[in-house]
Amino acid sequence: EVQLVESGGGLVQPGGSLRLSCAASGFSFRTYDMNWVRQAPGKGLEWVSYISTNGDTMYYADSVKGRFSISRDNAKNSLYLQVNSLRAEDTAVYYCAREVHGPDYYGSGPPKYFDPWGQGTLVTVSS
Amino acid sequence: DIQMTQSPSALPASVGDTVTISCRASQSISNHLNWYQQKSGKAPNLLVYAASSLQSGVSSRFRGRGSGTDFTLTISSLQPEDFATYYCQQTYSAPPLTFGGGTKVEIK
């Protein structure tokens, strides 16, 4: 079974740090790009960060650039998100998601989609 | 950045109804549009990718259509398990891969 399991969330004071982890199983982790997506309480989905298969390409949302760092360990089938300088507005459930590339039937580039998602880990930033 | 606008934000409906959710992109995204379902307290689940391709295991009551800037997700014969929040996502231009604001299909 393809599965992603996040951990590492918790209550942290403003300005604090956490390291979120995502353990992958049931598929060849090293062959998939990966993403982090977050959801603030009662709000919609916000893409946070992306990392390529070998870790040489990374992207970040403007809202977290310079404070968050994505990484992966393909030998351990694990994805990470180091979150620093946390603010109240970073309070959210953080999901990891596998990025799948479909066949390019129309010549407009391969479609991409997120499947599956992990169950999420809650980060609460509060004093 | 490409902005994704979903409408309506809430959609009251009854079991057996057919409902349609709209998603509009701020610029053409070809067919690079996905739909996800999220039930309360759970992670999102992929329903449709590439605008109209049904994910394996997803009921044929779900149908995605559209290309360019305008897309729809239609749910036929609503079932109790379909009451949830639905999100569109564009994957044409990144970063960022943007989501719509969500549409909550709720019991009328």
Side-chain angles (χ1 to χ4, degrees), chain A residues 46-67:
Chain A
E46 179 189 18
W47 171 82
V48 172
S49 186
Y50 157 94
I51 189 166
S52 60
T53 53
N54 59 9
D56 60 353
T57 300
M58 295 162 283
Y59 298 128
Y60 300 93
D62 287 345
S63 57
V64 307
K65 204 171 292 182
R67 300 187 298 121

Side-chain angles (χ1 to χ4, degrees), chain A:
Chain A
E1 178 192 6
V2 175
Q3 193 172 18
L4 298 170
V5 179
E6 301 93 335
S7 60
L11 174 63
V12 61
Q13 293 187 339
S17 299
L18 284 173
R19 190 194 196 202
L20 309 183
S21 299
C22 171
S25 60
F27 66 100
S28 180
F29 177 73
R30 66 180 65 247
T31 65
Y32 287 89
D33 300 335
M34 298 293 295
N35 291 266
W36 287 97
V37 178
R38 70 182 180 182
Q39 185 171 38
K43 302 297 184 182
L45 301 171
E46 179 189 18
W47 171 82
V48 172
S49 186
Y50 157 94
I51 189 166
S52 60
T53 53
N54 59 9
D56 60 353
T57 300
M58 295 162 283
Y59 298 128
Y60 300 93
D62 287 345
S63 57
V64 307
K65 204 171 292 182
R67 300 187 298 121
F68 290 12
S69 178
I70 191 171
S71 61
R72 65 190 296 162
D73 185 335
N74 287 340
K76 294 184 177 180
N77 291 333
S78 292
L79 174 72
Y80 306 101
L81 187 68
Q82 178 69 38
V83 296
N84 300 327
S85 303
L86 283 163
R87 308 165 179 166
E89 55 265 35
D90 295 318
T91 294
V93 174
Y94 286 74
Y95 298 100
C96 61
R98 183 180 71 167
E99 182 172 310
V100 179
H101 295 182
D104 184 10
Y105 292 126
Y106 303 101
S108 61
K112 306 171 190 174
Y113 49 90
F114 292 179
D115 182 65
W117 300 53
Q119 87 289 350
T121 188
L122 176 62
V123 172
T124 303
V125 184
S126 175
S127 55

Side-chain angles (χ1 to χ4, degrees), chain B residues 30-93:
Chain B
S30 184
N31 69 330
H32 293 243
L33 190 285
N34 307 318
W35 290 99
Y36 299 89
Q37 177 193 65
Q38 186 179 35
K39 297 182 179 179
S40 182
K42 301 295 187 181
N45 183 52
L46 177 71
L47 297 175
V48 171
Y49 64 94
S52 60
S53 295
L54 197 65
Q55 172 68 344
S56 176
V58 173
S59 171
S60 58
R61 294 182 292 100
F62 293 91
R63 182 178 182 182
R65 303 182 74 172
S67 66
T69 60
D70 293 307
F71 302 86
T72 59
L73 176 70
T74 298
I75 313 171
S76 303
S77 186
L78 263 176
Q79 297 301 299
E81 61 266 28
D82 299 334
F83 291 96
T85 301
Y86 295 84
Y87 293 93
C88 61
Q89 177 202 34
Q90 70 83 17
T91 56
Y92 181 78
S93 175

